[in-house]
Amino acid sequence: MGGNSPCAPYAGFARLSEVSRGSDQDTARSRSWWTAGQRPTERDGGRPNWADFIDAAVASAPVSETGFVKVAGSVTDFAAAFRPLTRAAHAMVERRVDADPGIVDLDAVCDGWASRLGNQLARAGARTLVLELGRKRAALPGATSRDRFAAFVASTGTRDGLAALFGAYPVLARVLGQTCLHAADALVEALGRFVADRDAITMALTGADAGPLLAVDAAGGDPHHGGRSVAILRFACGAAVVYKPRPVGLLVHFGEITHWLGGKVGRLRACVPRAVCGDGYGWVEFVRPLPCDGVADVDTYYRRLGALLALLHALGGTDFHHENLIAHADQPVLIDVETLFHPTLPHPRTAGPDPAADALACSVLRTALLPHLIIGELGALDVSGLGGDPGVQPREVVDWADAGTDRMRLVRRAAAARAGSNRPSAGGRAVEPRDFRSALLEGFRVGYDAIVAHRAELAGLLARCSGDAIRVVVRSTELYGTLLDESTHPDVLRDAADREDVFGLLCDAADPVRAPLVSHEITDLWRGDIPLFTTTPDSMALHPFDGAPIHGVLAATGLAAAQGKITTMGDVDRRDQHWLIEAAFAIRATGTPPHHTDAMQAPVAAESPDPDRITAAACGIADQIAAGALGGDARVNWLGLQLVDDRHWAVLPMGAALGDGFTGVALFFAELARLAGVDRYRDLAARAITPIPGLIAAMAALPDLAAEVGPGATLGLGGVCYALSRLTTLLDDAQVLSWLDSAIAVLSDVETGDCGFAAGNAGGLAAMSAVVAEHALTSAVTLAARYHARLAAAPVPATSGFATGAAGVAWALGRSTPQPLPSTPGWCSGMAGHLAQAPHARVIEALAVQPPLRDMTLCHGETGVIDMLTQHASTTPAAAIAARSRVSVLLGELAHHGPRCGTPDEVPTPGLLTGLSGIGYGLLRAGFPDTVPSALTLQPGPPRKQRPQEGVPDERRHAARRGHTRGRDATSRP
């Protein structure tokens, strides 16, 4: 409205401004009421249009309370207080839109729109109004709590009430005024475009004359570009059309590409909504969710989704979560493809470049179509295109207790997550995606192979997309939404400088890539928008809503990245993506306990556990791990399926922890290289640990990071120190010893109250004791004494397990193992862990008759049991017999079925505790107990005089090489 407001500024603002500023009334008189609502950089720019709008709306408000405020018991009850604002916005739209009633029923459209706008204003102002409600509670009239609430809302919606509110909270006035102005502009723009394009819309999308437009409903999308968001236009005949205030040319071209792929994959062709393109906007077919007729249709749905996944992977797509996919009978329909050809923005990495992180960033998981868990204090929720489960949000959300009463207050509580429209249903029930994993994998294979076979044709089609607009997601929408929500706290609505500080949290000095974008992000947030940056597939310039293009952020164009990926697609990549798909499906097994106790089902014939067989089996496992190595000469790393809390898993690049990180993998490779004489394993071990110096330096500079990591054996720095101690010897590398010195120096400044072996002081004591025994470092002696003193003074943990309970603490202190003994067999929390301290006869007897475990891993599987039995084999015949018997069965199972990891669905993962490295290391421990120390109890290596100078005898090395050759994967990376 600018300076052409039909109403003069309401004088009450100036008076209330003086009162609210109190301490310096002369200054207050020289300032307009709205000045404090402006950002510091705006205060010399003149009167803002939102101030004119607020003045006009307040002037139109009733002088006294009129009518009855209906109270429904919701936060939207506050909308009545802001009715003068919504009426003013309603009037603006009516003045600016001139449409034939036969085309647009403007009254119906505006009434529904104004109601939603009022609810939006209510939510934005709720925190402030609840604060004011509490302050005025004692003086409010009314016999009941609801009556007093209604009286407060009615009085706030008067001229004096709004003037007082906005005078005290000018930033709130800005937020509400901008919201109204932007909403009105967006609606006027949408209606104008609809009137101009009505014939084209009718012809292409609704079929026949749909009758007048009755409603413009919000579609649930985020606001961008001044409050503009996706909307659903509904007509008198019941038809609907989706309005997108952004270009839709990419959707049209994506339809051409899927049509091309459909010609290669036959009935697996996926449908794409029809679209009508405008200049910077478009109209899209409204897709309704439909059930499947039966299981056969569901199978077809997932096969089509698999082929679609292959295409999205090739095109560098991302952000295809459950809200962007509709299950339309047996067709998976993507309704938003603006994040195809998405360029990769790197994230800061503590230890430098990581090839595994790079591989993950351009993998099938990037699409967000495959299961992806958001994990919080309340659990986990799969928000992927395959997920969209009903349930509970993983984190608490802001809500209101006693809404609609004078006791109303803000609370944070669990909130329900509604089911999406992305899951196909049959027989009235949504199906579980895991049940159709094979169908999706087969569709992915068919689609992938078609792309590889016809990649030259596809490259020509991609060129048509080069000028289409795409969205670049630089941060999570959730982060932006949280900032906007928290910036409505009344403490930051009195002066814009305070709200500026909230948005200033985006200024992250550790992220130079996004630093040039921050000022634009903050400007968008001030506008009430979720920040949006766009580009085209052939450009490296980012375009903010207002401002010049930003250069230097993107390292390559999205089109070049997609073309490069398509060129390199082949057997190795398809195998890697296949593993990622399997791992993603396994993630959906929420609630799967990390400790499996299932016995082997009818074990195959045992094999003699002679050292040659053991070494050959370990080499076969090593080759499987090596085939998944990512990187080059400078560094290698792996992707792994890792437990991120007590029950939920995630696919992550391996970190440094001994239990599930690259140091554990390196330890296995180095031990195997010494025994088998295969230099390639030694080289892999050396390249795996190259990021250690950078990691140690980062923790030295960031003590809080080191404290968070802690001194534990399997999860913390203690285990890293143990690995470096052993690798110094195994690799005969003095440089690794210097890294160990630095790591101990960092650990010396870390204090924790955790007593456990896995993450706390017991693990730190074990690690330092091993370092002292192997390298006699004085710093380790001092630190070991400190850990011993902390443990001796701490209460005994309540649980009995070794990894996190009393057994691990007792072992570290050299005390007797606590009773009673657990019933499960594994090391981490079961009977086997109690053998670390002494050869308990009852435990050995129980494990001797315990059937071999299906899980083969160290943590809670078969090799962990064998490791603990092996520890006493030289002194306890029963332990030796039990260990030998179990190793024989394990070798037979490995020969016939391959290794089985301790992960959901037994998905292979490289790690030491629950993965392949641990199975291999456990074999070496069983075959060579005098030279391979237990990694479960951080045993030091043997004295130097006992260490074989040349590994193993020649005939054993030859056998290992034969096993290495037999186990080699033809698709292994060089």
Side-chain angles (χ1 to χ4, degrees):
M1 292 175 64
N4 298 320
S5 172
C7 301
Y10 180 55
F13 280 118
R15 175 173 53 79
L16 289 166
S17 180
E18 293 172 15
V19 174
S20 64
R21 308 283 180 212
S23 60
D24 189 352
Q25 292 192 9
D26 290 337
T27 301
R29 292 189 188 94
S30 67
R31 293 164 58 92
S32 299
W33 69 267
W34 41 262
T35 304
Q38 292 182 296
R39 301 171 66 184
T41 56
E42 298 171 339
R43 291 179 180 174
D44 293 330
R47 183 182 180 87
N49 62 349
W50 58 262
D52 286 338
F53 176 83
I54 291 295
D55 276 342
V58 172
S60 69
V63 174
S64 60
E65 297 129 53
T66 58
F68 174 73
V69 174
K70 184 178 179 181
V71 178
S74 165
V75 68
T76 57
D77 291 336
F78 285 133
F82 300 131
R83 196 168 290 133
L85 279 67
T86 54
R87 285 173 175 165
H90 188 295
M92 288 178 60
V93 173
E94 287 186 320
R95 287 196 303 271
R96 295 168 58 187
V97 174
D98 182 15
D100 186 328
I103 296 176
V104 177
D105 185 337
L106 192 58
D107 288 340
V109 168
C110 286
D111 286 348
W113 167 82
S115 177
R116 291 190 302 276
L117 175 61
N119 294 340
Q120 185 179 353
L121 301 184
R123 286 187 286 268
R127 296 192 191 205
T128 301
L129 292 181
V130 166
L131 175 65
E132 293 299 312
L133 172 64
R135 288 176 174 174
K136 298 176 179 178
R137 179 182 296 119
L140 291 172
T144 68
S145 182
R146 284 208 168 195
D147 290 342
R148 291 188 290 274
F149 177 88
F152 169 78
V153 173
S155 63
T156 301
T158 64
R159 187 176 301 179
D160 285 340
L162 289 174
L165 179 69
F166 296 147
Y169 302 98
V171 183
L172 176 62
R174 173 187 183 141
V175 170
L176 303 183
Q178 283 186 162
T179 299
C180 291
L181 290 170
H182 292 159
D185 288 344
L187 180 61
V188 169
E189 182 179 78
L191 293 176
R193 289 170 170 176
F194 166 71
V195 171
D197 298 340
R198 181 174 178 271
D199 291 343
I201 294 170
T202 300
M203 182 178 299
L205 304 180
T206 63
D209 186 356
L213 177 66
L214 298 183
V216 179
D217 292 340
D222 299 316
H224 305 295
H225 294 175
R228 291 163 174 81
S229 61
V230 178
I232 300 174
L233 276 64
R234 302 188 185 276
F235 300 91
C237 72
V241 168
V242 179
Y243 164 66
K244 296 199 173 188
R246 297 185 294 279
V248 297
L250 185 60
L251 181 65
V252 174
H253 289 136
F254 181 68
E256 296 171 355
I257 294 171
T258 56
H259 180 78
W260 167 85
L261 183 62
K264 313 299 181 186
V265 299
R267 68 187 185 92
L268 299 189
R269 176 194 171 193
C271 290
V272 175
R274 294 168 294 167
V276 174
C277 294
D279 184 8
Y281 66 96
W283 311 95
V284 178
E285 177 185 5
F286 180 72
V287 180
R288 302 178 189 275
L290 292 176
C292 293
D293 287 338
V295 175
D297 281 355
V298 177
D299 184 83
T300 300
Y301 176 95
Y302 281 106
R303 288 176 186 272
R304 284 175 171 153
L305 191 60
L308 188 60
L309 174 63
L311 181 60
L312 297 178
H313 171 59
L315 301 186
T318 188
D319 205 37
F320 297 109
H321 50 76
H322 67 282
E323 294 178 342
N324 284 338
L325 183 68
I326 300 292
H328 185 76
D330 61 359
Q331 278 287 352
V333 182
L334 289 174
I335 58 174
D336 192 345
V337 298
E338 64 182 3
T339 47
L340 289 174
F341 303 102
H342 196 280
T344 299
L345 273 73
H347 288 271
R349 292 172 186 156
T350 303
D354 184 346
D358 293 339
L360 187 63
C362 61
S363 72
V364 288
L365 295 190
R366 161 196 175 106
T367 64
L369 204 60
L370 293 166
H372 173 73
L373 296 184
I374 300 297
I375 301 173
E377 64 275 7
L378 302 180
L381 195 67
D382 182 2
V383 298
S384 68
L386 277 169
D389 306 307
V392 176
Q393 295 283 359
R395 289 184 279 271
E396 291 182 335
V397 299
V398 169
D399 200 1
W400 302 99
D402 294 326
T405 75
D406 65 350
R407 300 184 307 276
M408 186 174 179
R409 61 198 179 279
L410 183 147
V411 293
R412 296 182 186 272
R413 59 171 52 135
R418 294 180 300 175
S421 300
N422 58 304
R423 296 265 295 278
S425 63
R429 299 180 61 183
V431 301
E432 168 52 47
R434 281 167 54 87
D435 296 340
F436 292 86
R437 174 178 56 188
S438 297
L440 185 137
L441 282 166
E442 175 61 17
F444 179 78
R445 182 193 65 78
V446 171
Y448 192 104
D449 289 351
I451 291 169
V452 170
H454 305 281
R455 66 180 102 212
E457 293 179 38
L458 179 57
L461 289 173
L462 299 191
R464 301 183 187 180
C465 306
S466 60
D468 292 331
I470 59 174
R471 178 185 178 187
V472 180
V473 181
V474 302
R475 301 183 205 264
S476 74
T477 298
E478 182 183 21
L479 172 61
Y480 292 137
T482 299
L483 287 174
L484 282 172
D485 186 46
E486 296 300 329
S487 71
T488 62
H489 192 286
D491 286 349
V492 299
L493 296 181
R494 296 182 178 91
D495 193 297
D498 297 324
R499 195 177 193 232
E500 187 87 4
D501 290 341
V502 175
F503 296 149
L505 295 173
L506 290 173
C507 301
D508 185 355
D511 188 358
V513 172
R514 289 161 181 77
L517 310 179
V518 171
S519 63
H520 299 282
E521 291 175 295
I522 293 176
T523 297
D524 282 350
L525 291 170
W526 267 108
R527 195 183 290 114
D529 289 337
I530 297 296
L532 176 69
F533 297 90
T534 61
T535 187
T536 57
D538 63 349
S539 173
M540 288 195 295
L542 283 179
H543 297 269
F545 174 43
D546 50 4
I550 305 167
H551 299 275
V553 175
L554 304 181
T557 69
L559 183 59
Q563 290 170 334
K565 179 185 289 185
I566 293 169
T567 300
T568 58
M569 287 172 68
D571 290 343
V572 173
D573 178 68
R574 192 180 73 186
R575 183 204 63 196
D576 292 345
Q577 305 311 317
H578 186 281
W579 178 85
L580 285 165
I581 295 171
E582 292 273 20
F585 272 104
I587 286 171
R588 274 190 63 84
T590 53
T592 299
H595 304 187
H596 307 301
T597 58
D598 295 341
M600 289 183 187
Q601 298 298 316
V604 299
E607 293 198 3
S608 174
D610 64 83
D612 286 351
R613 288 182 183 274
I614 285 175
T615 307
C619 285
I621 292 173
D623 288 335
Q624 184 175 346
I625 300 170
L630 298 158
D633 294 338
R635 180 191 178 186
V636 295
N637 200 9
W638 291 263
L639 292 171
L641 192 59
Q642 300 176 28
L643 194 65
V644 294
D645 59 11
D646 291 339
R647 56 189 298 173
H648 299 112
W649 298 75
V651 178
L652 296 170
M654 297 193 85
L658 178 67
D660 59 9
F662 55 75
T663 56
V665 180
L667 184 61
F668 166 54
F669 275 130
E671 285 284 9
L672 182 58
R674 175 179 65 84
L675 291 166
V678 179
D679 291 339
R680 188 165 75 99
Y681 300 149
R682 185 182 188 279
D683 177 61
L684 279 168
R687 286 189 286 151
I689 61 173
T690 54
I692 289 291
L695 182 66
I696 295 171
M699 286 193 284
L702 300 168
D704 289 347
L705 176 61
E708 183 178 348
V709 172
T714 61
L715 301 176
L717 263 178
V720 174
C721 289
Y722 172 78
L724 294 176
S725 175
R726 293 292 299 124
L727 290 167
T728 295
T729 302
L730 293 169
L731 301 178
D732 193 20
D733 191 336
Q735 186 180 40
V736 179
L737 183 62
S738 71
W739 300 349
L740 174 59
D741 282 329
S742 299
I744 293 174
V746 170
L747 203 49
S748 298
D749 295 328
V750 172
E751 294 193 15
T752 180
D754 190 326
C755 294
F757 180 82
N761 292 318
L765 175 56
M768 292 305 105
S769 299
V771 171
V772 170
E774 193 151 0
H775 299 289
L777 295 181
T778 303
S779 57
V781 173
T782 303
L783 201 49
R786 187 186 306 172
Y787 289 136
H788 190 282
R790 289 178 185 169
L791 285 176
V796 177
T799 56
S800 63
F802 193 94
T804 60
V809 174
W811 170 83
L813 291 172
R815 297 173 179 172
S816 60
T817 305
Q819 300 291 336
L821 296 174
S823 59
T824 54
W827 163 79
C828 58
S829 61
M831 289 184 288
H834 288 247
L835 291 179
Q837 181 67 23
H840 291 282
R842 284 198 301 121
V843 173
I844 293 173
E845 181 181 350
L847 292 176
V849 299
Q850 165 78 38
L853 297 172
R854 180 177 177 85
D855 179 348
M856 298 179 177
T857 61
L858 283 176
C859 183
H860 39 266
E862 187 64 13
T863 51
V865 172
I866 292 170
D867 186 305
M868 293 293 98
L869 289 169
T870 299
Q871 185 159 315
H872 303 291
S874 62
T875 59
T876 309
I881 293 171
R884 183 177 179 84
S885 173
R886 299 183 83 104
V887 172
S888 298
V889 174
L890 177 62
L891 286 170
E893 284 289 307
L894 283 168
H896 287 80
H897 301 300
R900 290 191 290 264
C901 292
T903 55
D905 296 341
E906 299 174 348
V907 172
T909 190
L912 191 71
L913 279 188
T914 59
L916 297 170
S917 292
I919 300 172
Y921 193 95
L923 288 171
L924 299 181
R925 168 80 173 135
F928 309 96
D930 295 333
T931 60
V932 178
S934 173
L936 290 178
T937 55
L938 305 194
Q939 287 182 343
R944 285 188 179 276
K945 65 180 180 180
Q946 295 182 15
R947 293 195 186 107
Q949 296 301 308
E950 299 296 335
V952 295
D954 287 343
E955 64 273 16
R956 194 170 298 159
R957 296 215 305 271
H958 292 324
R961 289 194 180 100
R962 288 195 298 273
H964 162 69
T965 303
R966 287 197 302 269
R968 194 166 190 172
D969 186 340
T971 62
S972 298
R973 290 182 176 82

